[in-house]
Amino acid sequence: DAKTTQPNSMESNEEEPVHLPCNHSTISGTDYIHWYRQLPSQGPEYVIHGLTSNVNNRMASLAIAEDRKSSTLILHRATLRDAAVYYCIPYSGAGSYQLTFGKGTKLSVIP
Amino acid sequence: DAGVTQSPTHLIKTRGQQVTLRCSPKSGHDTVSWYQQALGQGPQFIFQYYEEEERQRGNFPDRFSGHQFPNYSSELNVNALLLGDSALYLCASSRGLLPNEQFFGPGTRLTVL
């Protein structure tokens, strides 16, 4: 699996957009990029995933760099409920059925 | 839809004992994966069950074993508990083998004294 680098922590003001970066410079051409988040005292929660082009869903947007060596999870309007640890997970799917979580980015949202 | 449920929520055991944790997947899901999460770390993959067979295993010793039942629910068994087994144990379910959109349960907090 590709290695990832994420900031240990970030802060955002409530109701402002948040851009959570992830570097995955060793990613292969067929690796999907998954994002999960884990709210305090809960199990991880699927957020979004994509391969090449940008992806949007009701929770967030995923912007993938053209060279695919980095991606950014975008929360368009942070709420207090978005305070969580965010994990960026490249997934190859080549004979592997597991997700490899790193330490993620702890996002704090300031009221 | 109850989502993924796990039992018990908390458990305290002593070294050398054995423990069984249980998981019921989200309705419509047939695959269950188990993860161990130590304090301050991301979840670590233990193994995955599909069609009642272990399909993939992470870097965990044989003391960790599991089972999947015909109704897709699953058990995680840990024998000869060590202090280092203290962690949050998470169950995740999905449709099919690929871990797309895994749904996680709230976890079982295991404390080994």
Side-chain angles (χ1 to χ4, degrees):
Chain A
D1 290 330
K3 299 293 183 187
T4 59
T5 303
Q6 296 181 257
N8 289 331
S9 63
M10 290 183 62
E11 273 189 358
S12 173
N13 293 318
E14 196 177 8
E15 299 188 5
E16 289 187 357
V18 183
H19 291 232
L20 295 157
C22 180
N23 286 321
H24 31 75
S25 57
T26 61
I27 199 170
S28 76
T30 56
D31 286 3
Y32 278 80
I33 299 153
H34 292 241
W35 283 81
Y36 281 75
R37 71 179 185 181
Q38 188 169 19
L39 279 63
S41 301
Q42 294 189 26
E45 175 186 32
Y46 167 81
V47 178
I48 200 166
H49 75 281
L51 182 61
T52 53
S53 56
N54 297 342
V55 184
N56 301 291
N57 66 19
R58 64 173 181 81
M59 287 182 70
S61 295
L62 176 59
I64 302 170
E66 200 168 331
D67 63 6
R68 294 189 9 97
K69 294 185 184 302
S70 66
S71 61
T72 302
L73 181 71
I74 303 165
L75 306 179
H76 295 286
R77 200 160 159 266
T79 68
L80 296 178
R81 197 195 172 276
D82 292 321
V85 177
Y86 287 78
Y87 299 99
C88 163
I89 308 170
Y91 170 66
S92 69
S96 170
Y97 306 131
Q98 68 184 66
L99 294 177
T100 302
F101 288 77
K103 289 191 174 182
T105 297
K106 184 175 182 179
L107 174 67
S108 301
V109 180
I110 303 166
Chain B
D1 182 5
V4 179
T5 59
Q6 292 186 244
S7 63
T9 53
H10 295 86
L11 204 51
I12 299 175
K13 293 286 189 178
T14 56
R15 280 180 299 175
Q17 285 190 312
Q18 179 262 345
V19 68
T20 298
L21 310 182
R22 295 176 176 82
C23 171
S24 290
K26 180 179 168 63
S27 176
H29 286 186
D30 55 9
T31 302
V32 172
S33 300
W34 287 92
Y35 292 81
Q36 180 195 65
Q37 186 173 25
L39 212 57
Q41 305 294 315
Q44 301 300 304
F45 177 80
I46 302 174
F47 43 52
Q48 181 197 61
Y49 276 85
Y50 174 72
E51 292 185 337
E52 301 180 50
E53 288 188 14
E54 182 183 296
R55 298 292 177 159
Q56 189 152 61
R57 188 178 186 91
N59 189 24
F60 280 81
D62 291 344
R63 297 187 297 108
F64 290 77
S65 63
H67 189 78
Q68 185 179 35
F69 299 94
N71 68 353
Y72 308 121
S73 66
S74 176
E75 287 182 350
L76 164 65
N77 300 294
V78 187
N79 294 324
L81 285 167
L82 304 174
L83 295 180
D85 294 332
S86 295
L88 181 68
Y89 288 85
L90 295 159
C91 168
S93 72
S94 56
R95 281 198 193 95
L97 284 167
L98 298 182
N100 294 323
E101 298 191 51
Q102 284 191 334
F103 283 76
F104 283 79
T108 293
R109 172 70 62 187
L110 172 65
T111 302
V112 183
L113 301 176

